[in-house]
Amino acid sequence: MAKVMILGSGGREHALAWWFKKYGHEVYAAPGNAGTAIDYRANIGLDLNNFEEIDNAAVENAIDLVVVGPEDLIVNGIVDYWDRSEAHQEGTKIFGPHMAAARLEGSKIFARRFAEKHGLPIPEYLAFNSGNFRRNLTMARRHLAGMNKGMERELLVVKADGLCAGKGVGVNKSVKDAEDYLESLKRFGNAATDFLLEERLMGEEVSITLITDGISYKAFHHSQDHKRRYEGDRGPNTGGMGAYAPTGLITPELERIINKDIIRPTIEGIQAEGLEYDGILYIALMIQDNKPYLIEYNCRFGDPETQVIVPLVDADPYRLMMDCIYGNLDKADFRLKQAYSCCVVLVGEEYPRTSSKGEEVLYSPSNFGKDEIFMFHAGTKMEKGNVVTDGGRVIGVTAVSDVSHEDAIAKAYKAEQKVCFSGKDFRNDIGYRVRDEKD
Ligand code: AMP
Ligand code: GLY
């Protein structure tokens, strides 16, 4: 049994904690949420921006392994910091890529250049990276004006180069919208000094999750997130309103193409660039006309994808991550269950405009944790002994079925009814693309 500290406080982190616990490990969640507090009684109140605090907590609790949930910690160099930390001296390992490799997520321009250099299929793009926002804006406006006259390539998607908490991408339908979005990049400060204009792709999105030591990799089930707020993929982008796995969208032929054109060149590119990558590599794809395109890389687990892929794995996460850290991933025991999962995310009604705060969350624990039905908390906290809402995405209800997608979806929606809080809302069509198919 190992002692594992999971950094973060979302549904992803609760699902990771559940996975470690399933294999008998002792879990500390930092800072965690009400779900991790109730399930493991070991939340550690930490400021995740303060790496020294994390280091001290790891030493005090004699942690064996630190698992990092959110991207900003990785992009800001917690893994590099760890190499010099006291905890590291004491033998505490950390799971995640180094800062130079995490630029695959931390800089969209770096990721596009990497993909181009290593021959991955990507949308057409133009990078505006003078380091001066005004100058970039002038150049980008000039391009958009040329598009209006039909003289320039149509590049309507605007992407801030740096991390913007998932809000730095504008998928625009018109030049006017693109112009407005460009203006709005100011609100992101330095993260959006440089940016991209990109061709708009249309198709199905698929999330690929790999664990890799930069040489070999193991793939979790492909999954699909539902990013838009309302049914039928309408409304604003959110952190993710639900997910299901496996996607059922990938034919064996497409799988072969994804391996050949996306995964292999990515791993080879990581090696060729000399990037130290021990961790999760999440690859977001768009399938357009039966061809996969790279949308983005993330250097951590997805949320809510984790809540559907982790219950479909037969592998001890501690062993798996340690094998990855020690470069033994090729020999790791990692099996996927042939089953189906669905996660319905319960949000406050004003999400994503505002968060839900302080509403009491009522549920009967006896409805969860058995029959492959799990409740993964996200924006919740304990207040005077009660669970209350504390975020936009409040709870994700995941169900697993050995039978079919439809069964997993039906189970998740039945279980969701057992959770109540004022203003509760959710999408009622999670998994709609696979709902009517025979499995
Ligand atoms: P990203 O942060 O790059 O994953 O972008 C956020 C979301 O914007 C993606 O999940 C897609 O839904 C959408 N998106 C990003 N790039 C494109 C593109 N080139 N064409 C169409 N949609 C895109
Ligand atoms: N589900 C999208 C993400 O984790 O970035």
Side-chain angles (χ1 to χ4, degrees), residues 148-366:
N148 251 341
K149 295 189 194 134
M151 288 156 46
E152 296 284 4
R153 288 173 294 161
E154 191 169 276
L155 306 177
L156 286 172
V157 177
V158 179
K159 293 189 174 181
D161 182 46
L163 290 186
C164 300
K167 299 188 179 77
V169 174
V171 181
N172 304 297
K173 295 203 172 85
S174 68
V175 170
K176 170 81 182 66
D177 289 352
E179 279 168 349
D180 291 347
Y181 195 84
L182 274 177
E183 278 295 331
S184 77
L185 286 178
K186 279 198 281 286
R187 70 196 148 121
F188 299 120
N190 288 343
T193 300
D194 293 339
F195 51 80
L196 294 166
L197 285 182
E198 194 167 278
E199 172 194 0
R200 183 166 173 219
L201 300 176
M202 307 281 221
E204 291 291 339
E205 280 181 62
V206 175
S207 306
I208 297 196
T209 312
L210 310 177
I211 177 168
T212 181
D213 54 14
I215 295 164
S216 54
Y217 68 88
K218 308 270 181 202
F220 292 74
H221 273 302
H222 302 337
S223 54
Q224 189 173 46
D225 184 9
H226 297 57
K227 290 211 171 73
R228 300 274 174 178
R229 173 64 170 84
Y230 300 112
E231 283 79 8
D233 294 324
R234 292 173 302 108
N237 255 324
T238 70
M241 295 293 295
Y244 65 95
T247 63
L249 300 166
I250 309 285
T251 59
E253 173 60 6
L254 199 48
E255 179 92 49
R256 195 186 61 74
I257 297 174
I258 291 173
N259 283 332
K260 178 171 81 59
D261 292 351
I262 306 272
I263 298 181
R264 205 184 309 149
T266 297
I267 301 289
E268 286 172 3
I270 286 173
Q271 289 166 17
E273 305 289 331
L275 300 174
E276 286 179 81
Y277 208 114
D278 302 325
I280 295 297
L281 181 63
Y282 158 158
I283 307 179
L285 297 183
M286 178 90 79
I287 313 292
Q288 177 173 280
D289 300 331
N290 245 350
K291 189 169 177 293
Y293 292 85
L294 175 73
I295 290 284
E296 67 162 348
Y297 292 119
N298 292 315
C299 57
R300 38 78 192 173
F301 280 102
D303 188 340
E305 287 92 332
T306 304
Q307 293 89 308
V308 290
I309 59 175
V310 150
L312 300 185
V313 173
D314 269 329
D316 175 337
Y318 180 71
R319 286 259 54 84
L320 183 67
M321 292 181 191
M322 292 303 265
D323 280 342
C324 182
I325 289 168
Y326 282 106
N328 294 327
L329 195 58
D330 54 335
K331 297 186 206 78
D333 189 18
F334 181 85
R335 270 161 296 152
L336 297 181
K337 287 188 196 163
Q338 294 316 308
Y340 306 85
S341 59
C342 171
C343 173
V344 178
V345 175
L346 310 180
V347 299
E349 62 193 337
E350 297 294 328
Y351 178 71
R353 213 167 46 77
T354 58
S355 298
S356 175
K357 295 264 179 217
E359 300 292 349
E360 191 173 350
V361 183
L362 298 170
Y363 59 90
S364 164
S366 63

Side-chain angles (χ1 to χ4, degrees), residues 15-85:
L16 290 173
W18 169 84
W19 188 20
F20 278 96
K21 193 73 185 175
K22 182 175 159 190
Y23 284 86
H25 302 296
E26 196 175 332
V27 172
Y28 294 75
N33 54 36
T36 58
I38 292 166
D39 289 354
Y40 315 117
R41 298 184 188 286
N43 279 15
I44 306 177
L46 284 187
D47 169 7
L48 295 187
N49 295 314
N50 186 338
F51 292 171
E52 205 178 321
E53 257 189 48
I54 300 172
D55 182 11
N56 291 339
V59 173
E60 267 164 40
N61 295 289
I63 298 294
D64 296 300
L65 176 67
V66 176
V67 178
V68 192
E71 61 275 13
D72 47 348
L73 298 185
I74 298 179
V75 169
N76 293 334
I78 189 162
V79 178
D80 304 65
Y81 177 92
W82 215 255
D83 292 342
R84 310 182 301 272
S85 69

